[in-house]
Amino acid sequence: MHKHHRPLGLANSQDGARGGVDIAKLRPVQPVTLLRPHAARRAARFFVEKFLGRSIYAVKANPSPDLLKILWDAGVTHYDVASIGEVRLVSETLPGAVQCFMHPVKAEETIAEAYFEHNVRTFSLDTLEELEKIIRATARDGVAATDLNLLVRIRVSSDHSRYSLASKFGAEPAEVKALLMATRQAADALGICFHVGSQAMSPAAYAEALARVRSAILEASVTVDILDVGGGFPSVYPGMEPPALENYFAVIHAGFEALPISYSAELWCEPGRALCAEYASLVVRVEKRRGTELYINDGAYGALFDAAHVDWRYPVRLLRETPSKTRSAEFSFFGPTCDDIDQMAGPFELPGDVGTGDYIEIGMLGAYGCAMRTRFNGFGMTESMIVEDEPMASLYAGSKVRRSNVVKL
Ligand SMILES: *Cc1c(COP(=O)(O)O)cnc(C)c1O
């Protein structure tokens, strides 16, 4: 049994806990995180088998060591890290893993520790200044490193994504040529990377980004060894039903094949959300009802940051042994802290008779949910349990419906 399954009020309940209703029967006072290792394993196998290149897990989406081990066991050997904390975590948790430091702005001390102490050889950058930092930080006795994989991050549009990442990172088109040429000089392997933003709702996001890569390569006429299409692969949420992932892969594979790059060039991607969204959900208790507002025991400072701050909608279900027969209605949530910001507009659809003392499962919190908890105001304590039922939405399970979404290319 894993150490974090130490039960607070749920002693002896692991056996036979198949899903949310079983947990609700135990009437936990604190929120309970339900973990689905089988769902994370399935997502990892999907990428390992169907993406015709290397799938690099973006650790920030969920850095849980248990999850890292699940992904590793499922065949994910490379990890996208963005801070020295993540580098150390991955080194400790998965000593055999290959780490790629894909944050384009890093402290020189961090680069040096990653390179010399954790054997990191892959770094991204989006300015000449950062290139110089990497060269300085990895030199030994004034001799430059000759084993660097350097990826130039170019700016691409976030138009197709629910979460923009277009304004912060990425070399400007006017700077890309000089940057690629200078990086070529310093790199053993030269790569180009981009990130279309998170939850990209159309494969066109990648097609458009690849068109920019193509013109950048032609303009700089450098030999490119690695193409890294970043993250952004979507999951399923209410009101956000993306096309099947196979479509994304097909667009990327076709775009990669058409690039003017070396015959032996490698294709990489950096999925975060798509590998872990289905890994976790949360069981919360309703502590008060006021009209269509439910006061629940987790919120903006817990696993529901995105629900509060960017109105992300998660699937919900009422956990009763005898399902309610009342027609469903739209509800909003208040979190447990004293802060007014701690509210989630939803709308969340639940049976109209939901009330104080009821338990609700909030699904799809494995990515950017559980990872962002705080202890603000004395809340944020949860326990975790492994369950075996299916996640509330899935890109990978029961994909018969989803097959009809497959676009012929
Ligand atoms: C956040 C991030 C990812 C993962 O993004 P998802 O949308 O979770 O797939 C990948 N690459 C980079 C550089 C990132 O910043």
Side-chain angles (χ1 to χ4, degrees), residues 122-140:
T122 303
F123 298 90
S124 81
L125 58 111
D126 62 3
T127 57
L128 282 170
E129 198 187 347
E130 185 76 10
L131 174 62
E132 282 154 18
K133 262 197 237 170
I134 295 170
I135 294 171
R136 270 198 306 274
T138 55
R140 218 184 286 258

Side-chain angles (χ1 to χ4, degrees), residues 58 60-61 80 102 153 195 197-199 231-233 270-273 368:
K60 78 165 185 286
D80 162 1
M102 302 309 289
R153 169 121 166 221
H195 190 38
S198 205
Q199 187 73 5
F233 300 96
E270 304 164 355
R273 181 187 303 282
Y368 308 112

Side-chain angles (χ1 to χ4, degrees), residues 336-377:
T337 70
C338 303
D339 197 334
D340 236 26
I341 283 178
D342 195 359
Q343 51 179 293
M344 287 67 61
F348 301 100
E349 211 173 299
L350 288 160
D353 64 343
V354 58
T356 304
D358 269 324
Y359 286 86
I360 296 168
E361 180 173 359
I362 307 176
M364 308 298 283
L365 287 169
Y368 308 112
C370 297
M372 290 161 81
R373 290 184 173 290
T374 74
R375 288 294 187 108
F376 177 54
N377 223 172

Side-chain angles (χ1 to χ4, degrees), residues 211-234:
R212 294 207 190 176
V213 170
R214 184 182 175 77
S215 35
I217 296 174
L218 289 175
E219 211 185 317
S221 44
V222 286
T223 305
V224 171
D225 311 298
I226 301 161
L227 172 73
D228 178 351
V229 299
F233 300 96

Side-chain angles (χ1 to χ4, degrees), residues 56-295:
I56 306 176
Y57 174 57
V59 172
K60 78 165 185 286
N62 187 332
S64 142
D66 288 339
L67 173 63
L68 295 178
K69 287 177 196 148
I70 291 164
L71 298 178
W72 173 263
D73 289 340
V76 177
T77 54
H78 288 54
Y79 293 79
D80 162 1
V81 290
S83 63
I84 200 63
E86 289 183 354
V87 171
R88 292 174 188 160
L89 171 76
V90 173
S91 280
E92 279 164 27
T93 313
L94 305 174
V98 178
Q99 301 194 44
C100 305
F101 208 133
M102 302 309 289
H103 193 309
V105 184
K106 300 168 282 300
E108 229 167 288
E109 294 87 341
T110 292
I111 300 167
E113 181 182 331
Y115 181 83
F116 288 108
E117 292 177 40
H118 302 282
N119 212 27
V120 178
R121 293 294 177 266
T122 303
F123 298 90
S124 81
L125 58 111
D126 62 3
T127 57
L128 282 170
E129 198 187 347
E130 185 76 10
L131 174 62
E132 282 154 18
K133 262 197 237 170
I134 295 170
I135 294 171
R136 270 198 306 274
T138 55
R140 218 184 286 258
D141 303 325
V143 180
T146 56
D147 55 0
L148 294 172
N149 306 317
L150 299 180
L151 287 89
V152 172
R153 169 121 166 221
I154 66 168
R155 176 165 299 193
V156 298
S157 151
S158 263
D159 290 352
H160 295 281
S161 301
R162 267 301 303 267
Y163 242 49
S164 170
L165 287 156
S167 60
K168 195 165 175 182
F169 302 129
E172 298 294 344
E175 301 160 359
V176 170
K177 179 179 178 182
L179 191 53
L180 279 173
M181 291 170 71
T183 307
R184 177 72 272 178
Q185 299 298 311
D188 178 27
L190 171 66
I192 296 182
C193 61
F194 56 78
H195 190 38
V196 297
S198 205
Q199 187 73 5
M201 292 301 290
S202 165
Y206 297 87
E208 289 166 22
L210 286 168
R212 294 207 190 176
V213 170
R214 184 182 175 77
S215 35
I217 296 174
L218 289 175
E219 211 185 317
S221 44
V222 286
T223 305
V224 171
D225 311 298
I226 301 161
L227 172 73
D228 178 351
V229 299
F233 300 96
S235 296
V236 187
Y237 302 90
M240 285 191 276
E241 269 268 320
L245 281 180
E246 284 93 336
N247 291 328
Y248 290 74
F249 294 175
V251 164
I252 291 166
H253 296 152
F256 175 64
E257 291 300 325
L259 286 180
I261 52 180
S262 77
Y263 170 72
S264 58
E266 290 184 21
L267 174 63
W268 297 2
C269 70
E270 304 164 355
R273 181 187 303 282
L275 289 187
C276 61
E278 299 176 18
Y279 176 57
S281 64
L282 190 68
V283 172
V284 297
R285 184 158 80 174
V286 179
E287 304 294 7
K288 169 180 166 175
R289 173 171 173 173
R290 184 178 77 181
T292 57
E293 298 164 326
L294 302 178
Y295 292 66

